[in-house]
Every structure is written in C-alpha cells, then in structure tokens.
Amino acid sequence: MTRLFHTLLASYSTPFVQWVSPSHPPPPAVYVFAYGSLINPSSLQRTIGSTSASPSHLSHSSIKTIPAVVSGFKRSWEYKCSRRQYTAVSVTRDESAATNGVLVQVQWAQLRALDARESGYTRELITMDKLKLYEETDKLSNGHYAATDSNNLPSNAIVFMYTLDSSNNHTASPSVPIPQSYVDCIVAGALQTHGYAFAREFVQTTAGWAAHWVNDRNAVAPVRRYVPDCSTGEKDLSPDVQHAVDELLKAVVPNAFMRRVDV
C-alpha cells in the first residue's frame, strides 16, 4: 500500500487542494532535490522563475536552495541529452552511494515546468529517511559538509528527485561528449552558492569523468552544448571563476582533466 501511494504521489501533477477539505491538513510543501545543472540558481530560474516559496537558507539569488544529501543513489555522467547532443549527469539506485545537491521549494506549476525540462528522467518521491540536510558551510567535518540527523523541513514536506533507470545508461562519446559548458554551470553554481567543500563533493561523488570530455567554453553553438540564457541572469563565467572551476577539477579528477579536449 505504501509503495502504491508513493507511485501515485510521484505521478500527481495537480494541486492537492482538489482532494483535501478544509478540515484536513494543508497541501504538502513540495521540494525538488537538484543534483546537476539545477544546482545553479540561474539555470534553475530559466525554468521555474523566481519564487518566494522557498525558505531562506544560504541564498544566492531570489531562489533559495538548501544543501542536502540523498543516500541510496549514485550520480554519474550517464544521461544522453538528445536536444543538444551532450552527456549530462543522472542518478541511479545504489544503496552504497550518496549524492549531494540542493533542495528547492516549488509550486505545482513550477514542478510541471521542471517535468518538461527533465522529460528524459523519471520524477520519483524520496522518502525522508534517505534525506539529510547539510550544516552551514562554516561547520565542516574533515573538509566535508557535515550532514545533520534531522532535516528541519516542514512536517508536511514531500521531496521529488529526477532519476534514470539503469537500463537507459549512456557513456559519453566524441559525438555526445561531456561538455565543459555544462560542467561550468554546475560547478560554478555550487562554488558560488554553497562553497568549495560542497562543489568538491559534487566532483568526488560523480562517476564517469574519464569518459569523453570536451572544453567547449570558447566555441559557439552547436559545438558549444550549454548556452547561458542571458534573459534569466545566466552569463559566461569570468576568467577568475573559470580558473577556480579548473583548479578544483584538476585537484579532484586530475587524470580525466588532463584528457579534456579543447574544441
């Protein structure tokens, strides 16, 4: 029965007020756990826009995000983005793994917009026992974020995450590479929003860096795969931020970084 309820809830896309009466608890507070380009508030904003629904916690822009970790899922460079022919990150089930990312509170209309953006993935309900929030950036344990035992979310919170069935896994190739423009979106967003330790954990807990990786920063579309949307505040990285991203990548995945190909 619990599994059936979670399946129905994960597929539900209309406001809960349609089936709760005034005598029942209010509709749930809906969160999405973002672990890839949606970590970057500017990239997130291009899909959902600015929202005041999100709690104020370590905000980078008008969109507020909460650093968190979900256990039981492994992040890898394994999703083929057919729209621009590049390889993106995805998560698949792996009980020995954990994935860091951010929580953002959304309205139902925004959730539907995210569904459209993440149409190649499956929106899945995450149980609270899989979720832990990070403490603030100045409370580190051995250079890593320290996850708290309690998630401090509203008691009526539900959390979704976009996952990939392992049967759909893809390996980056010269024609569908890992593009630096997409890596920049994630890592720069992580660095600027939640700091070095958070960004480093993204790199450390992501598998598949050894696959075909291209530096398309100075290319133009369609060679450049991820193109910032200036109308939503996205922009090319400054030389200083590019340098910070590269230094982090060189430190954590040096062999893969040395094989990155300029295009």
Side-chain angles (χ1 to χ4, degrees), residues 54-101:
S54 304
S56 177
H57 183 89
L58 299 176
S59 63
H60 172 66
S61 70
S62 55
I63 293 179
K64 311 296 190 279
T65 60
I66 307 171
V69 61
V70 170
S71 60
F73 290 87
K74 178 182 73 173
R75 177 173 46 214
S76 306
W77 292 103
E78 291 185 334
Y79 175 69
K80 180 180 179 180
C81 180
S82 299
R83 287 173 302 202
R84 299 190 69 87
Q85 291 297 300
Y86 67 81
T87 299
V89 290
S90 60
V91 294
T92 53
R93 289 190 176 277
D94 183 339
E95 291 303 318
S96 66
T99 296
N100 75 328

Side-chain angles (χ1 to χ4, degrees), residues 192-204:
Q192 295 175 320
T193 308
H194 296 299
Y196 184 87
F198 179 81
R200 182 179 60 199
E201 284 205 3
F202 167 83
V203 180
Q204 289 174 327

Side-chain angles (χ1 to χ4, degrees), residues 31-150:
Y31 291 82
V32 169
F33 178 78
Y35 57 83
S37 58
L38 295 176
I39 288 175
N40 188 314
S42 295
S43 182
L44 181 62
Q45 187 167 358
R46 72 190 284 174
T47 300
I48 70 169
S50 175
T51 174
S52 59
S54 304
S56 177
H57 183 89
L58 299 176
S59 63
H60 172 66
S61 70
S62 55
I63 293 179
K64 311 296 190 279
T65 60
I66 307 171
V69 61
V70 170
S71 60
F73 290 87
K74 178 182 73 173
R75 177 173 46 214
S76 306
W77 292 103
E78 291 185 334
Y79 175 69
K80 180 180 179 180
C81 180
S82 299
R83 287 173 302 202
R84 299 190 69 87
Q85 291 297 300
Y86 67 81
T87 299
V89 290
S90 60
V91 294
T92 53
R93 289 190 176 277
D94 183 339
E95 291 303 318
S96 66
T99 296
N100 75 328
V102 299
L103 290 172
V104 59
Q105 190 175 353
V106 297
Q107 307 294 339
W108 285 104
Q110 296 169 326
L111 186 63
R112 289 193 289 272
L114 288 170
D115 285 348
R117 171 169 171 164
E118 309 295 339
S119 59
Y121 300 83
T122 299
R123 172 158 54 84
E124 184 171 342
L125 186 70
I126 302 303
T127 57
M128 290 300 174
D129 62 303
K130 297 286 188 182
L131 177 70
K132 289 187 177 181
L133 305 190
Y134 285 127
E135 295 181 358
E136 295 183 9
T137 51
D138 60 342
K139 298 178 181 178
L140 303 179
S141 174
N142 298 322
H144 291 69
Y145 273 109
T148 60
D149 290 331
S150 114

